[in-house]
RNA sequence: GUGGGCGUAGCUCAGACUGGUUAGAGCACUGGAUUGUGGCUCCAGUGGUCGGGGGUUCAAAUCCCCUCGCUCACCCCA
C-alpha cells in the first residue's frame, strides 16, 4: 500500500502552480501598493500564544489545533491563524519603535484539524494584513478596500461585504447581560449547542443557523443598539469612509466572528459561488490583543483571506490567469551518436539564458518532435547527420514550420537574436 | 465529532438493480502509417489485487457484514 497524503491536505501540482504564483503575485503587489510590508513568522508557536490570543473557549482552541510537545515538553501548535503570530512578532521585535503605525501583510499555510469539505482543508493558505497602532476608522475602511482591491485585480465578481460592530469590553458586557436576560425564559428551546453557548459564549448564539434558535434571536435587540457612545461613533465613521470609497456593504447584526479578540468592527466578504463555506475573507478590529500579549494598549485592525477559496471562486467564475508559455528551444538529434554534442549544446543554450530541453532517452525524431510540441517549444534545433558534416544545424520555428540552416558557432547568437536576449 | 453520497486502467466513467465465458470505452501514454520532422487523422500496443478483509454461492466488480479512504453537508470558519 502506498503512503497517502494526510487528510485535508493537498499537493499543489506543477499544472496548478501558475495560478498560485499569479494570485500570490497580485496579493504582494497590491499590499505593497497600500503600504504594507511583508512579514514571515514561524509555522509553529508556543501553544499559549493562540490559547490566550484566540480565546480559550473558542472552537479553534478547544478542538481544532494541531498541538504537540517538543523534546523539552513545551507545548507547540501549528498556527491556526496569522494575527496572533504577527502581533507577537510586533511586540517581540519592538516594531512600535520604528513607526508610530505598523502595517504588515503575510502569506502562508495555516493549520486547523477540522473535517475537510468544499473550500475547507486542514492545511490551507491565508493572506492577510494587519495595521497596528491606530484606532482611526479610516484604517478599518482601508483594510476592507485592500481586500476588495486584491479581488478586483484578480477579476473576482459577485462579492458581498458584511459589516457589523461587536463593541468594546464595556458595551459588550452590557449587551451580554441584556442578551442573556432576554432569552432566559426560552433557554430550554435553544439547541444543545446554544444551551452551552448561553453560559460560555452567548454572543455566538446570534450566529446559530438553527431555525428555532433563530426565531428566538429575532426578538433580541441587535448588539449595535447597545454600543457605547465611542463604539457607535466609530461604527458610523467606518461606514462614512466606506461610502467615500464607494464600497457597498450590508449591515449584518448577527455577524459574530470566531475569535474572542475582535472589538468594534467585524466584517466578512462572501462569494456566492463558493458553496457552504462562502467566506473568502474576514477580519476586524482587535484593540485589546496587543495588551493581552503584554504590550501597552495599542489598537489594531486586520483581515485574513483564504487562497484556496480565492482560487476556487476564480475557477467558478472562469477567470483566466497567465498560462505556462512553454520552453524556448528543444534540441532534437537524429543520430544517437550525436548525443554528446546535443547534451553539450543544450547546456550552452541554457547558460546563454534561454530555456531549453531535450529528450534524455533515445527516441525517434518523430518521438522527439512530439515531446517538443508537448513542451510548447517555440523553436526546435535538429541535429542532422548531413548538416553537421557541414558544421551546420537546422533551426525550426515550430509555429510557422519554417526551418533554416545555421552555422554551429553562430547558433547561440542566432537564438539570442530570436529571443531578444542580450 | 455527527449525517448523506461515492470508491472499477494515470484521468473521466460504463458494467452492479435481474451473480455466469479472457472486466470495457474515451482521454492520456508508447510505437507505427516506405526507414530525417510535431500538432489533425488512422492503426496497434502498454496499463486494472474491480479500495481492503471476511461471508453466501458451483460461480462475486455484482448479494451480505466489517473496515479504510474520498466527497458533500452540519458545527465552525479562510
Amino acid at each position: 500500500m502506498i503512503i497517502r497524503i494526510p487528510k485535508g491536505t493537498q499537493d499543489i501540482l506543477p499544472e496548478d502552480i501558475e495560478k498560485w504564483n499569479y494570485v500570490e503575485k497580485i496579493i504582494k503587489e497590491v499590499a505593497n501598493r497600500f503600504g504594507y510590508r511583508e512579514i514571515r513568522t514561524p509555522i509553529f508557536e508556543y501553544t499559549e500564544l493562540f490559547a490566550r490570543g484566540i480565546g480559550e473557549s473558542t472552537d479553534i482552541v478547544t478542538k481544532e489545533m494541531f498541538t504537540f510537545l517538543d523534546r523539552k515538553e513545551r507545548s507547540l501548535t501549528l498556527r491556526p491563524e496569522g494575527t496572533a503570530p504577527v502581533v507577537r512578532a510586533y511586540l517581540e521585535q519592538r516594531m512600535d519603535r520604528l513607526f508610530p503605525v505598523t502595517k504588515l501583510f503575510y502569506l502562508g499555510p495555516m493549520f486547523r484539524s477540522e473535517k475537510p469539505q468544499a473550500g475547507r482543508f486542514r492545511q490551507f493558505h491565508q493572506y492577510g494584513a494587519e495595521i497596528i497602532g491606530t484606532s482611526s476608522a479610516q484604517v478599518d475602511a482601508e483594510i476592507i478596500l485592500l481586500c476588495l482591491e486584491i479581488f478586483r485585480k484578480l477579476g473576482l465578481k459577485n462579492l458581498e461585504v458584511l459589516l457589523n460592530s461587536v463593541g468594546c469590553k464595556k458595551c459588550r458586557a452590557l449587551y451580554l447581560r441584556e442578551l442573556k436576560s432576554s432569552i432566559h425564559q426560552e433557554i430550554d428551546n435553544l439547541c444543545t449547542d446554544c444551551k452551552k453557548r448561553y453560559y460560555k459564549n452567548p454572543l455566538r448564539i446570534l450566529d446559530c443557523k438553527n431555525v428555532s434558535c433563530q426565531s428566538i434571536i429575532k426578538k433580541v435587540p441587535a448588539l449595535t443598539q447597545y454600543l457605547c457612545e465611542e463604539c457607535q461613533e466609530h461604527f458610523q465613521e467606518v461606514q462614512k469612509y466606506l461610502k467615500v470609497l464607494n464600497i457597498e456593504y450590508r449591515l449584518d447584526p448577527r455577524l459574530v466572528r470566531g475569535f474572542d479578540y475582535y472589538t468594534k468592527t467585524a466584517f466578512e466578504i462572501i462569494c456566492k459561488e463558493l458553496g457552504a463555506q462562502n467566506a473568502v475573507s474576514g477580519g476586524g478590529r482587535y484593540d485589546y490583543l496587543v495588551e493581552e500579549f503584554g504590550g501597552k494598549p495599542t489598537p489594531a485592525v486586520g483581515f485574513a483571506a483564504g487562497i484556496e477559496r480565492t482560487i476556487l471562486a476564480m475557477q467558478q467564475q472562469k477567470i483566466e490567469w497567465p498560462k505556462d508559455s512553454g520552453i524556448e528551444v528543444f534540441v532534437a538529434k537524429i543520430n544517437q551518436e550525436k548525443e554528446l554534442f546535443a547534451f553539450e549544446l543544450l547546456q550552452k543554450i541554457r547558460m546563454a539564458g534561454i530555456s531549453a530541453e531535450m529528450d534524455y532517452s533515445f527516441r525517434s525524431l518523430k518521438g522527439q518532435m512530439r515531446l517538443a510540441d508537448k513542451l510548447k517549444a517555440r523553436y526546435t534545433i535538429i541535429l542532422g547527420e548531413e548538416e553537421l558534416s557541414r558544421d551546420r544545424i537546422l533551426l525550426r520555428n515550430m509555429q510557422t514550420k519554417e526551418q533554416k540552416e545555421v552555422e554551429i558557432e553562430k547558433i547561440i547568437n542566432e537564438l539570442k537574436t530570436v529571443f531578444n536576449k542580450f
Side-chain angles (χ1 to χ4, degrees):
Chain A
M1 201 53 169
I2 57 163
I3 297 172
R4 259 187 291 223
I5 197 167
K7 185 194 275 284
T9 67
Q10 55 187 164
D11 297 314
I12 302 166
L13 300 172
E15 54 262 40
D16 298 321
I17 209 74
E18 294 287 328
K19 311 171 210 177
W20 281 77
N21 285 335
Y22 173 64
V23 169
E24 289 174 7
K25 195 187 106 196
I26 299 285
I27 292 163
K28 290 178 183 180
E29 183 266 308
V30 176
N32 282 318
R33 181 147 53 87
F34 275 67
Y36 294 78
R37 297 191 302 153
E38 183 171 359
I39 182 170
R40 298 194 192 187
T41 64
I43 300 294
F44 57 84
E45 298 273 358
Y46 289 120
T47 302
E48 60 189 290
L49 179 79
F50 301 114
R52 275 169 55 193
I54 301 169
E56 301 277 2
S57 68
T58 57
D59 280 10
I60 289 179
V61 173
T62 55
K63 55 185 189 192
E64 291 171 6
M65 295 204 302
F66 283 101
T67 296
F68 56 97
L69 294 178
D70 68 9
R71 287 171 191 277
K72 292 247 170 102
E73 303 212 313
R74 281 212 59 169
S75 183
L76 300 169
T77 292
L78 298 183
R79 63 181 185 197
E81 62 104 31
T83 299
V86 167
V87 170
R88 193 224 78 234
Y90 168 84
L91 284 170
E92 196 166 352
Q93 310 298 335
R94 303 308 312 257
M95 290 188 211
D96 55 324
R97 299 291 171 93
L98 296 173
F99 294 96
V101 171
T102 304
K103 298 171 76 173
L104 299 165
F105 84 92
Y106 60 87
L107 175 74
M110 305 292 165
F111 306 84
R112 289 180 204 170
S113 183
E114 297 183 276
K115 198 147 175 178
Q117 71 188 73
R120 166 180 291 165
F121 310 92
R122 290 187 170 180
Q123 173 172 342
F124 58 103
H125 297 75
Q126 284 188 334
Y127 53 96
E130 315 290 349
I131 175 159
I132 306 169
T134 173
S135 57
S136 167
Q138 288 180 9
V139 299
D140 301 50
E142 181 183 298
I143 280 283
I144 294 172
L145 178 67
L146 168 59
C147 254
L148 290 172
E149 173 63 5
I150 290 168
F151 294 140
R152 191 187 68 82
K153 281 293 262 186
L154 289 171
L156 270 181
K157 295 187 171 64
N158 299 337
L159 299 169
E160 186 172 25
V161 178
L162 305 180
L163 185 72
N164 193 23
S165 175
V166 294
C168 63
K169 272 179 189 164
K170 281 175 280 174
C171 45
R172 201 183 314 179
L174 196 72
Y175 177 70
L176 288 183
R177 217 175 304 145
E178 185 63 32
L179 174 69
K180 287 174 93 164
S181 70
S182 69
I183 59 176
H184 188 260
Q185 308 100 300
E186 305 231 48
I187 191 164
D188 291 332
N189 298 327
L190 292 170
C191 69
T192 49
D193 284 331
C194 282
K195 275 173 194 155
K196 288 180 208 155
R197 289 182 185 130
Y198 183 87
Y199 300 102
K200 278 173 65 184
N201 197 349
L203 216 54
R204 291 228 64 88
I205 299 175
L206 298 178
D207 212 24
C208 186
K209 275 126 197 154
N210 188 297
V211 198
S212 64
C213 295
Q214 274 185 18
S215 65
I216 296 168
I217 298 158
K218 262 183 189 166
K219 303 163 199 162
V220 178
L223 196 156
T224 45
Q225 291 172 15
Y226 280 79
L227 294 178
C228 64
E229 207 174 312
E230 185 196 327
C231 288
Q232 187 60 248
E233 194 187 331
H234 184 87
F235 193 37
Q236 294 307 323
E237 282 192 352
V238 171
Q239 296 181 60
K240 179 180 84 185
Y241 292 122
L242 287 176
K243 278 168 189 153
V244 164
L245 299 172
N246 286 319
I247 294 171
E248 285 178 38
Y249 60 90
R250 181 160 63 88
L251 290 179
D252 182 359
R254 298 196 309 123
L255 177 68
V256 178
R257 312 215 66 253
F259 308 125
D260 283 355
Y261 55 61
Y262 282 117
T263 55
K264 293 180 178 163
T265 309
F267 74 93
E268 224 165 72
I269 299 177
I270 59 172
C271 180
K272 292 193 177 66
E273 278 93 343
L274 277 183
Q277 308 307 318
N278 63 356
V280 71
S281 169
R285 181 162 277 283
Y286 48 94
D287 287 343
Y288 304 128
L289 189 60
V290 175
E291 200 177 348
E292 171 66 33
F293 286 162
K296 55 181 191 244
T298 309
V301 58
F303 83 93
I307 297 189
E308 283 85 354
R309 289 185 189 177
T310 300
I311 289 175
L312 207 64
M314 285 172 68
Q315 283 169 337
Q316 291 293 321
Q317 297 185 8
K318 306 258 190 304
I319 293 169
E320 299 284 327
W321 41 78
K323 297 224 171 63
D324 171 27
S325 50
I327 62 167
E328 289 167 317
V329 179
F330 186 89
V331 179
K333 58 208 173 291
I334 282 161
N335 195 320
Q336 192 174 313
E337 290 152 32
K338 297 292 173 279
E339 170 260 337
L340 194 65
F341 180 80
F343 181 71
E344 192 188 1
L345 178 62
L346 169 75
Q347 309 302 355
K348 268 187 192 162
I349 295 168
R350 288 172 173 169
M351 291 311 174
I354 293 158
S355 64
E357 192 52 279
M358 67 180 273
D359 173 50
Y360 295 101
S361 56
F362 301 106
R363 313 163 74 188
S364 64
L365 182 60
K366 180 183 258 185
Q368 294 177 71
M369 292 300 287
R370 279 196 190 141
L371 184 56
D373 193 58
K374 205 170 160 185
L375 294 170
K376 295 194 256 286
R378 288 175 57 197
Y379 282 83
T380 294
I381 286 172
I382 300 167
L383 304 175
E385 191 91 33
E386 194 269 325
E387 290 86 350
L388 281 176
S389 70
R390 291 185 286 111
D391 286 332
R392 283 173 163 74
I393 58 173
L394 280 175
L395 183 62
R396 178 182 177 86
N397 182 321
M398 295 297 275
Q399 209 170 11
T400 65
K401 293 182 163 187
E402 287 173 297
Q403 54 189 47
K404 61 176 178 181
E405 289 192 3
V406 180
E407 285 177 55
I408 287 174
E409 56 211 47
K410 290 183 180 164
I411 183 63
I412 298 292
N413 268 332
E414 174 72 22
L415 290 174
K416 281 184 171 178
T417 307
V418 164
F419 294 111
N420 198 21
K421 286 189 180 177
F422 280 99

